[in-house]
């Protein structure tokens, strides 16, 4: 029995995100182990983080970056790696959750 390869035009496209924001259907932020924390003092609003974000979870205006939408951010860290100003730091999600809980309890 021999195996015959499919012609190129019959092979399904893989490893491609066909449109930005395709994760908007699902709240994928619960997958996150690391959270990007923005240092506003270092941020120049160059928007490079927005360009590279595969989840479209960084809302922007024409000249300004806003806080990450954590409902959808998966914590991949691409934004932090690509930031030329080191304005983003990937922090373990558990550390942030514990700090929020401590503040809530007083």
């Amino acid at each position: 029995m021999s195996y015959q390869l499919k012609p190129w035009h019959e092979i399904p496209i893989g490893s491609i995100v066909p449109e930005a924001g395709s994760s908007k259907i699902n709240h994928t932020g619960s997958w996150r182990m690391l959270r990007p924390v923005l240092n506003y003092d270092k941020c120049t609003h160059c928007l490079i983080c927005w360009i590279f974000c595969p989840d479209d979870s960084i809302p922007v205006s024409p000249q300004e970056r806003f806080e990450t939408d954590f409902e959808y951010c998966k914590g991949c860290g691409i934004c932090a790696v690509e930031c030329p100003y080191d304005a983003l730091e990937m922090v373990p999600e558990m550390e942030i959750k514990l700090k929020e809980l401590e503040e809530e309890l007083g």
Side-chain angles (χ1 to χ4, degrees), residues 20-94:
S22 59
S23 70
K24 294 288 183 189
I25 297 167
N26 302 302
H27 291 249
T28 54
S30 64
W31 302 355
R32 186 177 53 251
M33 297 296 291
L34 297 172
R35 180 187 288 203
V37 175
L38 180 63
N39 181 332
Y40 286 96
D41 292 334
K42 290 183 176 182
C43 181
T44 65
H45 302 282
C46 66
L47 306 182
I48 289 175
C49 56
W50 171 75
I51 292 168
F52 282 93
C53 178
D55 296 315
D56 197 28
S57 61
I58 301 173
V60 297
S61 72
Q63 285 88 26
E64 188 176 8
R65 178 207 196 284
F66 299 106
E67 190 60 53
T68 303
D69 185 346
F70 294 116
E71 291 282 322
Y72 302 102
C73 172
K74 293 182 188 79
C76 67
I78 293 172
C79 56
V81 169
E82 295 299 330
C83 179
Y85 303 100
D86 293 323
L88 287 157
E89 177 185 1
M90 298 306 291
V91 177
E93 186 71 26
M94 190 56 70

